[in-house]
Amino acid sequence: MDPLYEILAPYFEPDTSTSSRPIPNTASSTNYLSRLSTLSLSDLTTTESASLLHAAQSHVRNLQALSKRSHRTVISSAGHLEKLRDFLPGFTTGANKLQTDLPALETAASAFNQKYDRSSDNEVLDRRKRAMLLARNVDRVSDVLELPTLLSSAVAAAQNASTTASASSSTTSYASALDVHAHIKRLHTLYPKSELVSDVSRQGDAEIQNLTSILIGTLQSLGLKLASAMRTIGWLRRVAPELTESFDHPSNAPLSTKSFDITTKQQNDDGPLGTLFLLCRLRTLHVTLEALDPLRELADHETTSSTGSQSERYLKRYIEIFREQSFNIVSMYKSIFPGGLPVIEGGDGASARSPETSSSPSPVASFTLHLAEMMIAALRRYMPNITDRSTRESLLTQVIYCAGSLGRLGADFGMMLAMLEEELALASESAANDGEPEWAAVMKKHRIQAGRLEVLARGVGSGARKSSLDVHSPGVTASAKPVAQEDIKDAW
């Protein structure tokens, strides 16, 4: 304790709160007592009181400035201090509760760590990863989902182009549809286990089936031309490749013993595609012939006792339509499927094929036979109603021309008229004066006319050859004319 403090202590006023004299336990009190010991008595009596007063006033001014400047903060701090007294017990309680709940929190954290551990397989994490992957690739998924719609639009455009007969636009639409379907197939090959891609592939296959139906409908159009038919068959080969698959069926029949035998085997078939083409065109032929139903109904009411005028009209129109349509069908088939025609087999030569390598029968062989049966059936049904000989000869001549038209394509059925006449028992009724059957007389007239046309054709051809720088010898045309005249005599 400072001695000076001991001297001055009796003169200090006691503190009202503690009822004791202040103790100089601060640095400022200690420094002031040290300062007092350095002052003289005169300074203590004269200047020290003024210095203390000045210092007190300075402290008062500082306190006033501080209170003016920070009174709100001081008041708020005092309020918070009052609240702190009430908050500290609750804080203590919460701290104790937290300390009690920490083991449960640690247990829950351990369970969460074990549940979502990345080091092992986790279904929840896998599901979340798939969800995040889907969110990142939503644009690609939407593009895949739009593929069936895009393919449907291309198919609809192709259908509209086929109805408007626009070759360029239909080609573009078919190519677009095939490109989209090829992309779908490629996706299905890359992701065979994806349900989304499998569903898109099924929808794409359904649209391709619709496109195949459109192409088949194009083959059944009435005004089908060769160029359009070849384009349609080409697209069918690409759209439906299963129609071009060959199915070879071994045949156990013995080989032909002739040196050259025309059989119904085809060289390299196009699978069912050629048969499909013939069936479509056959349906078109039936639809065209159905336009003659009014004439057919009138012809059905006729009997053998009538003149047969309605039957004549019906048969004449029937033969005209049949001749035009059948020739177009077979000629189109030969142009589109040159490898699906009957071939010539060798008997003992190297060209003979074994039963294991023989291909399936050509569909055009049975098709032309069916066409001939259609014609013979119509003649068998309505020919007995016609009693006039000249009318029958005119119709038979028309049928012979029809058979000759198909004969240029290898499907002549003219000799079937002889069997038809035997079936109808017309030989005794329609024989000529010399007892000759009617079909034979018509056939002779037809050959005579054909011989005359051949003579005219040879004459025109020989004249053209004479004026072509003498390429051929002059004896050729001279020897051709007697032969033609001899043929005419034999025909008479």
Side-chain angles (χ1 to χ4, degrees):
M1 185 67 68
D2 195 341
L4 183 58
Y5 178 77
E6 295 292 340
I7 297 174
L8 296 177
Y11 300 98
F12 290 159
E13 294 181 358
D15 192 359
T16 58
S17 60
T18 61
S19 300
S20 62
R21 292 180 178 86
I23 299 174
N25 54 358
T26 60
S28 59
S29 299
T30 304
N31 292 333
Y32 183 70
L33 290 175
S34 299
R35 180 176 174 276
L36 286 178
S37 62
T38 60
L39 294 176
S40 62
L41 181 61
S42 59
D43 292 335
L44 292 174
T45 58
T46 57
T47 62
E48 184 62 22
S49 57
S51 177
L52 291 174
L53 180 63
H54 181 268
Q57 291 177 353
S58 177
H59 288 312
V60 168
R61 286 194 298 272
N62 291 335
L63 289 174
Q64 289 177 351
L66 179 63
S67 63
K68 183 178 181 180
R69 185 173 61 252
S70 304
H71 69 283
R72 295 180 180 177
T73 305
V74 173
I75 294 172
S76 177
S77 300
H80 288 311
L81 182 61
E82 292 294 333
K83 293 180 180 179
L84 182 62
R85 295 176 181 176
D86 299 332
F87 177 74
L88 283 178
F91 178 77
T92 303
T93 304
N96 294 331
K97 185 178 180 181
L98 178 62
Q99 186 177 3
T100 306
D101 294 340
L102 277 178
L105 178 62
E106 184 178 2
T107 303
S110 300
F112 180 83
N113 188 24
Q114 293 177 0
K115 182 178 181 180
Y116 297 102
D117 188 11
R118 294 184 178 182
S119 61
S120 59
D121 295 336
N122 194 303
E123 295 181 359
V124 179
L125 290 180
D126 292 341
R127 187 167 58 251
R128 290 186 178 182
K129 287 179 181 179
R130 288 195 297 269
M132 294 177 64
L133 181 63
L134 178 62
R136 289 195 301 267
N137 296 277
V138 63
D139 295 335
R140 296 180 179 178
V141 174
S142 62
D143 292 340
V144 173
L145 291 174
E146 290 176 358
L147 287 177
T149 305
L150 183 62
L151 181 57
S152 178
S153 301
V155 171
Q159 184 176 10
N160 295 332
S162 63
T163 55
T164 56
S166 178
S168 58
S169 58
S170 63
T171 301
T172 304
S173 302
Y174 290 142
S176 301
L178 288 175
D179 291 340
V180 174
H181 187 252
H183 183 60
I184 294 175
K185 287 295 185 183
R186 186 163 52 251
L187 289 177
H188 186 62
T189 304
L190 294 175
Y191 310 101
K193 297 182 180 180
S194 174
E195 296 181 359
L196 175 64
V197 176
S198 299
D199 185 61
V200 170
S201 179
R202 285 191 296 269
Q203 297 182 26
D205 292 339
E207 293 297 335
I208 286 297
Q209 291 295 330
N210 186 21
L211 181 59
T212 305
S213 301
I214 294 173
L215 291 172
I216 293 175
T218 303
L219 290 179
Q220 298 176 3
S221 59
L222 296 177
L224 183 67
K225 302 299 182 182
L226 177 59
S228 178
M230 296 184 72
R231 285 196 303 268
T232 304
I233 293 297
W235 287 117
L236 273 175
R237 287 192 177 103
R238 296 180 59 186
V239 172
E242 64 274 6
L243 294 178
T244 60
E245 295 178 357
S246 299
F247 302 99
D248 293 333
H249 304 284
S251 176
N252 296 324
L255 294 176
S256 175
T257 58
K258 297 181 180 179
S259 59
F260 292 100
D261 183 18
I262 299 179
T263 66
T264 60
K265 300 297 180 182
Q266 52 187 343
Q267 299 174 9
N268 48 354
D269 56 7
D270 257 309
L273 191 57
T275 305
L276 175 64
F277 172 79
L278 293 177
L279 289 176
C280 291
R281 299 314 299 164
L282 180 61
R283 182 183 182 277
T284 305
L285 175 60
H286 283 293
V287 171
T288 307
L289 292 177
E290 286 177 359
L292 302 178
D293 283 347
L295 293 178
R296 183 180 57 80
E297 292 176 359
L298 294 176
D300 288 337
H301 293 296
E302 287 186 334
T303 61
T304 56
S305 60
S306 60
T307 58
S309 59
Q310 300 299 333
S311 298
E312 176 194 359
R313 291 177 57 193
Y314 173 71
L315 286 178
K316 184 177 294 186
R317 292 292 300 144
Y318 185 95
I319 296 170
E320 290 176 359
I321 296 175
F322 183 88
R323 175 184 179 183
E324 178 182 1
Q325 294 296 328
S326 60
F327 182 81
N328 288 337
I329 293 172
V330 179
S331 61
M332 280 186 186
Y333 183 88
K334 291 184 64 176
S335 300
I336 299 173
F337 304 98
L341 301 176
V343 298
I344 299 178
E345 289 185 349
D348 298 327
S351 61
R353 293 175 295 179
S354 62
E356 290 77 9
T357 60
S358 61
S359 58
S360 58
S362 174
V364 73
S366 57
F367 179 76
T368 52
L369 181 60
H370 177 71
L371 291 179
E373 290 176 352
M374 286 178 57
M375 173 61 71
I376 296 302
L379 294 176
R380 185 185 298 113
R381 172 67 179 84
Y382 298 102
M383 202 66 172
N385 298 337
I386 304 173
T387 57
D388 184 58
R389 178 181 176 83
S390 60
T391 303
R392 290 198 308 272
E393 290 182 355
S394 175
L395 290 176
L396 290 176
T397 303
Q398 194 174 358
V399 173
I400 291 174
Y401 277 116
C402 179
S405 178
L406 288 178
R408 289 188 292 168
L409 302 175
D412 192 351
F413 61 92
M415 295 307 298
M416 296 181 68
L417 294 177
M419 295 183 291
L420 173 66
E421 192 165 355
E422 292 178 357
E423 292 179 3
L424 298 178
L426 294 178
S428 60
E429 300 178 5
S430 59
N433 294 329
D434 54 354
E436 193 177 37
E438 184 178 17
W439 68 271
V442 174
M443 187 70 71
K444 281 188 176 183
K445 292 181 180 180
H446 175 71
R447 289 182 177 179
I448 291 172
Q449 294 177 358
R452 292 175 180 176
L453 291 175
E454 185 179 0
V455 171
L456 292 176
R458 288 183 178 181
V460 173
S462 63
R465 285 193 295 270
K466 288 180 180 179
S467 60
S468 60
L469 300 178
D470 296 331
V471 177
H472 300 286
S473 62
V476 174
T477 54
S479 60
K481 187 172 181 181
V483 173
Q485 293 176 354
E486 187 67 26
D487 291 338
I488 295 175
K489 291 179 180 179
D490 293 339
W492 280 104

